């Protein structure tokens, strides 16, 4: 008999190597949350600088009250999908609120952002179509592509000329074409050069989906994401986003203006065959969308905080993931063992960041990845910089 | 484009940077397993193959391509199609 676990031996061995260094970088426990930016970890008060809590919105009074009310009035769960059990009024309210915020005609919410990508990509593209995806795409995009059964063509990261070449190679083939980009790439924090990609629409006919997971609520004059920032929303046919970052809740959405958009509800397996979000989750998400719309100053605070951390790291001479300032700030490190040791030293000094290692990173990079929050104080940012100065500088 | 050289030689040349241990390459060599290249590394290598021969090798095809011999067959078929 072949043990089904045999194939996972390399993973187990890698994990053991990490544990030999005395570090479990993928299994920390937050024993208590003190605020959106502080938690008790291993008995120490720790600054959270790796949680994607961009708006620092997880302890908002209005959202917590709305969540409590929904819990009491609608119960703990929906016990099924919206196709099987029907929607709760709040699901529809959230879709209306989001559509209004995004200035889109249609919006569909999903139970997670991961499922939003799975659903949207596999709903839009089928076996006769081709999906062109950026090489650095998030795993949920890769998995959505696999689920679609479409032909999959990968192009070089943020390289519109490379996509142009690949679109030309399949010129004249039957079927639709979907190009998938991200607003802010989750590992290095760089933005897609949207204008260059949109320019290709004149030459090659394709539809464009932008995953604004890290840019929704963050970029643009209305906080709608990269397409909003670039003034190219009309060219982004479909938007995907998540509630797990700027919304501080859990869930995801797909939105667009296509007249047949609502048909996707009956064509997306990751929407149809999983339970819908719980009432409390939906209620907190609605409250958070309203907060984002009402308090654009949060975006300004996030931008200031991001610049403060970015400039602090630059002054320490670090090589960063990219030259654009975004709330994702990744410091490039030499190799895996030193990255693990530094990550651990940061944690022991009271700073939590993400560790990102190959193959989960572009170009086999080893990264200490920070995400900035609007709720970080200047003192917290400065402490993160000072701790990096001690632990990382000169390594 | 260098299709006049045997395809296998060209593929071995492209694999050289991914083969720091200098393992002897043949049609039977399993690219990810024997050269210990992770899933993303294989996709990056395939992009180089696509550009060298100016062909398209969709990711769906990569999933079923393991050995250098498999890859040579894919490249041959795709050059003919182009
Ligand atoms: C680019 C991107 N898309 C999608 C997701 C999935 O979102 P969620 O955490 O809501 O499943 C994430 C984050 O995990 C992401 O970084």
């Amino acid at each position: 008999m072949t043990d089904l676990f045999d194939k996972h031996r390399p993973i187990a061995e890698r994990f053991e190597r990490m544990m030999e260094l005395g570090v479990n970088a993928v299994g920390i426990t937050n024993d208590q949350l003190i605020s959106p930016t502080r938690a008790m970890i291993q008995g120490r008060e720790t600054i959270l600088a790796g949680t994607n809590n961009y708006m620092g919105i997880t302890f908002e009074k209005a959202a917590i009250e709305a969540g409590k009310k929904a819990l009491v009035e609608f119960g703990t769960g929906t016990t099924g999908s919206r196709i099987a059990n029907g929607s709760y009024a709040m699901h529809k309210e959230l879709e209306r609120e989001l559509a209004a915020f995004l200035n889109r005609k249609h919006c569909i919410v999903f139970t997670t952002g991961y499922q939003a990508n799975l659903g949207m990509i596999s709903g839009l593209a089928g076996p006769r179509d081709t999906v062109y995806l950026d090489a650095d795409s998030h795993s949920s995009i890769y998995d959505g592509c696999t689920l679609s059964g479409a032909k999959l063509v990968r192009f070089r990261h943020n390289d519109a000329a490379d996509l142009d070449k690949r679109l030309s190679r399949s010129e004249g083939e039957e079927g639709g074409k979907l190009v998938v980009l991200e607003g802010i790439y989750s590992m290095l924090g760089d933005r897609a050069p949207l204008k260059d990609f949109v320019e290709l629409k004149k030459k090659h006919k394709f539809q464009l989906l932008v995953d604004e997971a890290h840019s929704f609520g963050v970029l643009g004059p209305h906080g709608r994401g990269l397409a909003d920032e670039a003034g190219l929303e009309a060219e982004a046919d479909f938007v995907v986003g998540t509630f797990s970052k700027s919304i501080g809740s859990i869930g995801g959405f797909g939105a667009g203006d296509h007249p047949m958009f609502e048909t996707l509800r009956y064509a997306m397996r990751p929407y149809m065959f999983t339970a819908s979000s719980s009432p409390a989750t939906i209620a907190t998400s609605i409250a958070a969308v309203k907060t984002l719309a009402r308090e654009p100053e949060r975006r300004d605070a996030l931008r200031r905080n991001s610049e403060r951390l970015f400039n602090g790291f630059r002054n320490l001479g670090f090589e960063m993931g990219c030259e654009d300032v975004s709330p994702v700030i990744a410091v490039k490190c030499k190799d895996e063992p030193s990255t693990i040791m530094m990550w651990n030293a940061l944690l022991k000094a009271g700073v939590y960041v993400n560790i990102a290692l190959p193959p989960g990173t572009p170009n086999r990079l080893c990264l200490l990845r920070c995400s900035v929050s609007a709720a970080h104080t200047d003192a917290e940012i400065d402490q993160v910089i000072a701790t990096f100065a001690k632990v990382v500088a000169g390594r | 484009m260098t299709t006049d050289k045997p395809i296998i030689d060209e593929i071995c040349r492209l694999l050289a940077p991914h083969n720091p241990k200098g393992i002897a390459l043949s049609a039977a060599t399993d690219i990810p397993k024997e050269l210990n290249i992770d899933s993303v590394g294989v996709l990056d290598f395939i992009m180089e193959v696509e550009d060298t021969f100016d062909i398209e090798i969709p990711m769906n095809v990569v999933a079923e391509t393991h050995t250098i011999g498999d890859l040579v067959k894919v490249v041959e078929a795709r050059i003919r199609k182009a």
Side-chain angles (χ1 to χ4, degrees):
Chain A
M1 187 187 85
T2 303
D3 184 351
L4 296 168
F5 281 89
D6 278 348
K7 59 181 166 293
H8 298 315
R9 280 192 203 287
I11 301 177
E13 283 160 15
R14 191 172 181 196
F15 185 75
E16 275 164 26
R17 279 201 304 279
M18 184 170 71
M19 293 306 281
E20 276 165 17
L21 295 171
V23 184
N24 183 358
V26 290
I28 71 144
T29 307
N30 294 278
D31 292 311
Q32 190 198 334
L33 265 289
I34 297 162
S35 76
T37 58
R38 286 177 178 268
M40 292 302 290
I41 300 175
Q42 297 173 357
R44 258 187 314 272
E45 188 169 338
T46 303
I47 300 175
L48 302 173
T51 58
N52 303 320
N53 193 351
Y54 298 131
M55 293 297 140
I57 212 168
T58 41
F59 284 87
E60 281 305 296
K61 263 212 170 61
I64 288 174
E65 287 312 315
K68 278 188 193 164
K69 186 163 178 284
L71 191 55
V72 170
E73 289 179 10
F74 292 90
T76 51
T78 63
T79 65
S81 82
R82 289 170 67 183
I83 300 292
N85 293 16
S87 298
Y88 285 27
M90 275 186 298
H91 290 122
K92 295 190 173 172
E93 186 189 341
L94 175 56
E95 288 175 344
R96 278 195 305 274
E97 285 289 339
L98 268 170
F101 184 88
L102 293 162
N103 193 28
R104 297 278 178 175
K105 288 197 179 74
H106 307 279
C107 178
I108 299 176
V109 298
F110 296 81
T111 312
T112 67
Y114 177 83
Q115 285 161 299
N117 266 331
L118 253 59
M120 287 295 292
I121 295 170
S122 67
L124 291 167
R128 286 173 194 283
D129 305 315
T130 305
V131 183
Y132 297 83
L133 68 157
D134 187 284
D136 287 4
S137 292
H138 188 260
S139 296
S140 57
I141 293 174
Y142 277 92
D143 292 354
C145 286
T146 304
L147 185 64
S148 75
K151 187 172 91 173
L152 307 178
V153 177
R154 190 170 171 262
F155 59 88
R156 291 184 202 278
H157 175 56
N158 273 354
D159 189 339
D162 191 71
L163 174 61
D164 184 13
K165 184 172 69 186
R166 288 167 204 281
L167 282 161
S168 299
R169 281 187 192 141
S170 47
E171 199 64 65
E173 277 176 22
E174 64 160 33
K177 291 175 181 173
L178 178 67
V179 171
V180 182
L181 307 174
E182 290 178 35
I184 292 176
Y185 283 85
S186 53
M187 283 297 139
L188 300 181
D190 49 342
R191 296 160 163 79
L194 196 57
K195 190 165 159 282
D196 300 347
F197 283 108
V198 161
E199 192 62 28
L200 295 178
K201 278 186 141 189
K202 292 183 190 143
K203 185 167 158 198
H204 307 279
K205 299 276 172 258
F206 60 83
Q207 284 161 299
L208 176 63
L209 182 151
V210 183
D211 178 358
E212 303 266 21
H214 294 267
S215 39
F216 170 70
V218 171
L219 297 182
H222 311 89
R224 298 200 283 252
L226 178 72
D228 182 23
E229 182 182 71
L232 293 167
E233 287 181 285
E235 300 293 338
D237 302 276
F238 309 103
V239 204
V240 166
T242 172
F243 304 148
S244 69
K245 307 187 196 306
S246 58
I247 296 294
S249 165
I250 184 166
F253 66 83
D257 293 324
H258 195 287
M260 287 179 69
F261 193 88
E262 296 293 326
T263 315
L264 287 173
R265 290 188 199 271
Y266 316 107
M268 302 187 295
R269 301 172 68 85
Y271 174 84
M272 295 160 72
F273 299 110
T274 194
S276 61
S277 293
S278 76
T281 300
I282 292 289
T284 54
S285 301
I286 293 171
V289 173
K290 288 181 178 166
T291 303
L292 288 196
R294 207 176 44 233
E295 300 177 9
E297 60 273 19
R298 282 175 191 266
R299 293 200 291 281
D300 301 328
L302 178 61
R303 201 171 306 126
R304 275 197 308 276
N305 287 349
S306 303
E307 277 167 11
R308 194 177 185 93
L309 187 64
F310 187 92
N311 292 331
F313 281 174
R314 166 164 289 166
N315 290 339
L316 290 173
F318 293 162
E319 197 183 339
M320 254 91 76
C322 71
E323 286 306 304
D324 302 335
V325 179
S326 85
V328 176
I329 299 176
V331 174
K332 293 185 184 171
C333 305
K334 208 168 55 208
D335 53 29
E336 186 165 323
S338 70
T339 310
I340 293 172
M341 298 308 282
M342 289 189 290
W343 176 87
N344 199 38
L346 288 169
L347 188 65
K348 292 229 161 97
V351 173
Y352 174 77
V353 302
N354 303 122
I355 185 166
L357 301 171
T361 53
N363 306 319
R364 307 201 54 77
L365 288 167
C366 294
L367 303 169
L368 291 168
R369 173 194 181 274
C370 303
S371 52
V372 181
S373 175
H376 280 130
T377 61
D378 285 354
E380 284 173 333
I381 301 270
D382 291 347
Q383 182 152 2
V384 172
I385 297 167
T387 310
F388 266 74
K390 264 193 238 136
V391 170
V392 182
R395 292 284 225 124
Chain B
M1 238 188 25
T2 41
T3 46
D4 43 338
K5 254 207 268 172
I7 291 168
I8 189 161
D9 292 352
E10 198 56 34
I11 289 174
C12 291
R13 184 183 70 78
L14 293 171
L15 271 176
H18 303 274
N19 184 14
K21 287 190 189 141
I23 291 166
L25 303 176
S26 74
T29 308
D30 187 306
I31 298 170
K33 266 211 197 105
E34 291 180 49
L35 300 184
N36 196 21
I37 308 180
D38 62 37
S39 50
V40 180
V42 169
L43 292 173
D44 289 343
F45 160 67
I46 292 293
M47 272 186 166
E48 293 168 35
V49 176
E50 288 181 297
D51 290 345
T52 302
F53 296 99
D54 193 22
I55 53 171
E56 176 183 77
I57 308 178
M59 275 170 59
N60 329 50
V61 175
V62 178
E64 285 149 28
T65 309
H66 305 286
T67 65
I68 291 179
D70 295 341
L71 184 55
V72 169
K73 279 197 205 110
V74 168
V75 172
E76 273 170 358
R78 301 233 156 214
I79 289 174
R80 242 180 286 125
K81 215 170 95 182

